[in-house]
Amino acid sequence: MYAKALFDIVHTSGEQALKLVVALEGGADELFASPNTLAAIEDHLLNVATTLAHLPPVVMLRLPQVDWTGWGALLQALRQRDPQRRDIVWYAVCGLLPATLVLLDQLRAQEPDWFEIQY
C-alpha cells in the first residue's frame, strides 16, 4: 500500500510537469524565461524527487536502471535553489522524469501486489 501511495504521487506530479513542458514551443529557453511555468515545473519535480527518495529500498533495488544519482542531484539543487540548476532541471524534464515513469509502470506491471490498496 505504501508503494502505491508513493507511485500515485510520483505519477500525478510527473504527469503535471510533463504537461507543462509539452506546451512549451521554445524548449529550454522558453521554460527558463517564464518564471511562473518554471516555478510550477520545479515544484512538481521537487515533489517527485522527494517522493522517490522515500521509496522502500526493495522498490529501489528493483529499479537499477533509474538514475538515482540524477534524482539526488536534482533534489539537492531544487532544495537549495541553486542558481546553476538549469541543466539539471532540463535533464529532469526531458530524460529523467519520462524514463523513471516508464520504469515505474513496468515495475507495477511486474509486481502488481506492491501497488494494491489493502484494507
Side-chain angles (χ1 to χ4, degrees):
M1 182 168 112
Y2 183 64
K4 174 165 179 21
L6 295 178
F7 174 84
D8 289 345
I9 292 168
V10 169
H11 249 274
T12 300
S13 291
E15 289 173 357
Q16 292 300 317
L18 292 177
K19 282 181 186 177
L20 291 170
V21 171
V22 168
L24 300 174
E25 295 178 9
D29 291 335
E30 184 178 353
L31 172 60
F32 292 98
S34 175
N36 292 336
T37 303
L38 178 60
I41 288 173
E42 286 183 341
D43 285 346
H44 290 302
L45 290 174
L46 180 59
N47 198 17
V48 171
T50 301
T51 303
L52 289 175
H54 291 94
L55 282 178
V58 68
V59 175
M60 294 174 87
L61 289 172
R62 288 293 308 268
L63 295 167
Q65 315 91 315
V66 170
D67 182 357
W68 298 112
T69 303
W71 281 111
L74 176 67
L75 182 59
Q76 181 178 354
L78 292 175
R79 281 185 176 163
Q80 296 176 354
R81 307 303 294 169
D82 183 349
Q84 303 299 318
R85 68 186 181 278
R86 178 183 170 121
D87 289 341
I88 188 77
V89 168
W90 190 244
Y91 165 64
V93 296
C94 291
L96 189 59
L97 181 59
T100 301
L101 292 176
V102 167
L103 291 168
L104 281 171
D105 285 342
Q106 290 172 351
L107 180 62
R108 186 175 187 178
Q110 294 169 358
E111 301 289 349
D113 293 346
W114 291 0
F115 299 94
E116 288 180 4
I117 295 178
Q118 299 172 357
Y119 296 99

